[in-house]
Amino acid sequence: MEHKIVRKSNVLVEASYKLTAQEQWIILFLTSVIKTHDEDFKDYSISIKDFSKLAGIRHKGEYQEVKEITKKLIGRVFTINEPSGPLQVSWLSSAKYLTGEGTVTLRFDPSLKPYLLQLKNRFTKYNLHMVMQLKSAFSIRIYELLKQYENLKERSFLIEDLRTMLGVDPADYPKYGNFKQKVLNVAQKEIEEKTD
């Protein structure tokens, strides 16, 4: 894990989506196995045992839970703001289980190619192990958003823009005090204690 690097287009980093920490760990792991010279997505195979370890599944019935996670990831539609207009896309286009082998083969949606492949500029990169230590889904997203501006040492957001990027529904934490306590303070504490 320590040597795996996540590379994502800045447009994808700023996209509006909400995934659980568990789902983000899987997506970020898959992102970290993409080679910088890859011109197309490959089928990314992972054993159910390793998938369960990545997702923090520590009980019997892991096979069924892995199936539930991949099903949710295929159905998680999010929005990327492209210059020509918003693109709605899901993270994965397929998950194929190989009976008797104990593996699942995952494939990114082809629409994500410009945001994960052949990145030359305007992308964010970081060590996978940094985010694997974070338990809050919001901590992972805020870490990425801060990492994007690491060289500038500062980043400002309008609260509404940050809520949108984090996929926080207006009905969730409607008062700023609740948003600060449940999202921002939790992320700040985790990021300061567990990352670079």
Side-chain angles (χ1 to χ4, degrees), residues 9-154:
S9 159
N10 287 340
V11 173
L12 186 56
V13 169
E14 294 184 355
S16 176
Y17 64 87
K18 185 175 183 177
L19 296 174
T20 66
Q22 190 179 51
E23 291 165 341
Q24 286 186 71
W25 294 332
I26 299 303
I27 293 298
L28 295 173
F29 172 78
L30 292 174
T31 303
S32 77
V33 297
I34 296 172
K35 306 283 187 265
T36 54
H37 59 274
D38 285 351
E39 293 182 12
D40 202 351
F41 291 130
K42 298 179 174 19
D43 288 333
Y44 303 102
S45 293
I46 183 168
S47 72
I48 300 298
K49 182 179 177 181
D50 288 343
F51 189 111
S52 298
K53 191 174 176 183
L54 271 172
I57 302 169
R58 293 174 173 77
H59 56 77
K60 299 272 187 216
E62 60 190 14
Y63 190 84
Q64 189 57 40
E65 191 165 343
V66 168
K67 278 184 148 179
E68 286 301 314
I69 293 169
T70 57
K71 184 177 179 180
K72 284 180 184 175
L73 280 171
I74 291 169
R76 293 261 195 233
V77 175
F78 68 101
T79 304
I80 298 173
N81 291 313
E82 295 185 328
S84 60
L87 167 68
Q88 291 182 320
V89 64
S90 62
W91 288 100
L92 300 177
S93 61
S94 66
K96 170 75 173 156
Y97 290 84
L98 302 172
T99 308
E101 292 185 30
T103 62
V104 59
T105 301
L106 305 168
R107 183 171 272 276
F108 280 113
D109 188 285
S111 297
L112 293 175
K113 284 181 189 180
Y115 306 105
L116 294 173
L117 297 174
Q118 299 280 312
L119 301 175
K120 303 286 188 238
N121 54 32
R122 296 186 183 160
F123 67 93
T124 299
K125 72 175 188 174
Y126 55 86
N127 290 318
L128 176 65
H129 79 276
M130 288 293 168
V131 291
M132 296 303 287
Q133 302 174 84
L134 301 174
K135 303 298 180 216
S136 163
F138 297 126
S139 297
I140 296 169
R141 292 286 287 129
I142 291 172
Y143 175 81
E144 282 188 329
L145 290 164
L146 294 175
K147 199 68 173 171
Q148 182 184 7
Y149 277 59
E150 182 177 31
N151 292 336
L152 298 178
K153 306 287 186 216
E154 185 176 308

